[in-house]
Amino acid sequence: MKIYVYGVYSDEVPYIKEWQDEHPEVTVETTTELLNEKSVQLAKGSDGVVVFQQKPYPDEALRQLALNGITKMSLRNVGVDNINHQLATELGFQITNVPVYSPAAIAEFSVTQALNLLRRTKEFYLKLAKGDYNWAPHIAKEMNKQVVGIVGTGNIGSTAAKIFAGFGAKVIAYSRHKNKELDGIVEYVSLEELYKRATIISLYLPHVPATDKMLNKETFSMMRDGVLLINTARGPLVDEEALIAALDSGKVGGAALDVMTGETKIFNQQIDEQSVDYNEFKNLVKRPNVLITPHIAFYTDQAIKNMVKMSLSANLDLITTGTSDKLVKF
Ligand code: COI
């Protein structure tokens, strides 16, 4: 039995080895290359593939995999928005993801960034770098005085809600499904009420047609002046042009973006910030009240270990039993 693993990062190698030692009946082969039209041939003769990339999986790579008889594909991450669902279904793919690898990794990072915005750390570091050690005018706000609006109370959003509540913030939330675990911790409200009341809004939703650009000119106009925005979910949830206008007018007082609509042009690579072909990024990155990070909320040792080991086990389940508890239902 052979599993071919694409897009392997150095941090993943020890966990792949660990899993291989626990499963001597499986041959695991790896490449640092992402799955694309060319690298697809490397998997020939394998029973399944394990993949991880932010770039879209090319249709042609899926077709070639299927032609080579490989239709068992396991993602090491949670998001499935970079796969052509219709084509994968037509080709008979069975796809698994890792829905819960470490909600705390992402939740903790979103809270960190909310604190960074409140305490104005970027503004201080920028002025300290110029020898300006004055306090004023960068006075901070306290988390325990904030109304935090959590949009989406799945695994990550509810973990974040508990952490924010631990700081003493008032936590309000909107979600299609109410989470019983949050009884006594959050007050569920409508999305409109959340926009109107929150001083910090943090997103924990997938990108689907219904959530595309959900933060836009109209929704920004409902919010409190100076609201802080945290996005560790998916870039396209935010209309970036509308965000720029809202920052210019002061409607939005600061933003922490760990994800961006055009992030595959910039994240996880060496770039020249000012010559990159992405105007919204170039505008946002230079603002003292905007924190841009390269999709790192998930990036912890615990998360990487779970992503690697759970995806390999899911792929093995697909191969040996024809199904998995992590099967994605498109
Ligand atoms: C996910 O698990 O979907 C993430 O957002 C991690 C990412 C680097 C693909």
Side-chain angles (χ1 to χ4, degrees), residues 52-54 77-79 101 233-234 295 298 307:
F52 174 42
Q53 63 194 52
Q54 284 158 279
N77 65 304
V78 56
Y101 49 78
R234 282 293 182 266
H295 206 143
F298 81 103
M307 290 161 88

Side-chain angles (χ1 to χ4, degrees), residues 107-143:
E108 286 178 11
F109 189 75
S110 59
V111 179
T112 301
Q113 293 301 72
L115 286 164
N116 275 321
L117 287 176
L118 289 174
R119 304 311 299 240
R120 309 182 70 168
T121 50
K122 180 172 175 185
E123 290 157 280
F124 267 103
Y125 288 134
L126 289 172
K127 76 181 194 181
L128 296 182
K130 290 191 250 158
D132 181 355
Y133 277 61
N134 284 299
W135 298 335
H138 296 100
I139 194 158
K141 288 192 190 316
E142 296 178 22
M143 182 61 86

Side-chain angles (χ1 to χ4, degrees), residues 141-278:
K141 288 192 190 316
E142 296 178 22
M143 182 61 86
N144 66 83
K145 297 283 179 274
Q146 303 307 306
V147 180
V148 178
I150 301 279
V151 186
T153 55
N155 290 303
I156 302 170
S158 46
T159 306
K162 290 177 201 163
I163 305 174
F164 279 118
F167 276 95
K170 162 82 187 161
V171 185
I172 59 176
Y174 167 78
S175 205
R176 279 194 309 163
H177 307 286
K178 294 194 174 58
N179 186 338
K180 276 243 150 261
E181 265 183 37
L182 297 179
D183 280 357
I185 297 173
V186 312
E187 178 193 347
Y188 277 103
V189 296
S190 69
L191 196 50
E192 195 173 324
E193 187 175 341
L194 183 145
Y195 290 149
K196 286 187 180 148
R197 283 175 59 192
T199 55
I200 298 176
I201 294 178
S202 197
L203 304 176
Y204 304 96
L205 292 177
H207 178 228
V208 291
T211 59
D212 188 63
K213 293 193 177 160
M214 62 183 288
L215 296 197
N216 53 45
K217 190 173 170 197
E218 193 194 331
T219 49
F220 282 130
S221 74
M222 296 178 199
M223 295 176 194
R224 288 173 71 148
D225 290 343
V227 64
L228 302 179
L229 167 68
I230 319 292
N231 189 5
T232 52
R234 282 293 182 266
L237 303 187
V238 178
D239 177 339
E240 287 166 358
E241 260 184 56
L243 173 62
I244 288 170
L247 283 159
D248 283 341
S249 72
K251 173 53 86 179
V252 172
L257 307 174
D258 188 49
V259 286
M260 294 194 73
T261 301
E263 67 180 51
T264 54
K265 290 185 191 171
I266 48 175
F267 289 175
N268 207 6
Q269 57 198 284
Q270 181 71 40
I271 61 158
D272 171 10
E273 276 178 5
Q274 286 318 316
S275 65
V276 75
D277 170 29
Y278 187 0

Side-chain angles (χ1 to χ4, degrees), residues 63-91:
R63 285 197 193 93
Q64 288 300 321
L65 276 179
L67 275 176
N68 290 335
I70 306 168
T71 51
K72 302 192 187 301
M73 177 157 139
S74 297
L75 274 56
R76 306 205 281 292
N77 65 304
V78 56
V80 291
D81 45 348
N82 52 350
I83 298 181
N84 180 340
H85 299 185
Q86 199 188 331
L87 180 69
T89 309
E90 277 167 21
L91 292 170

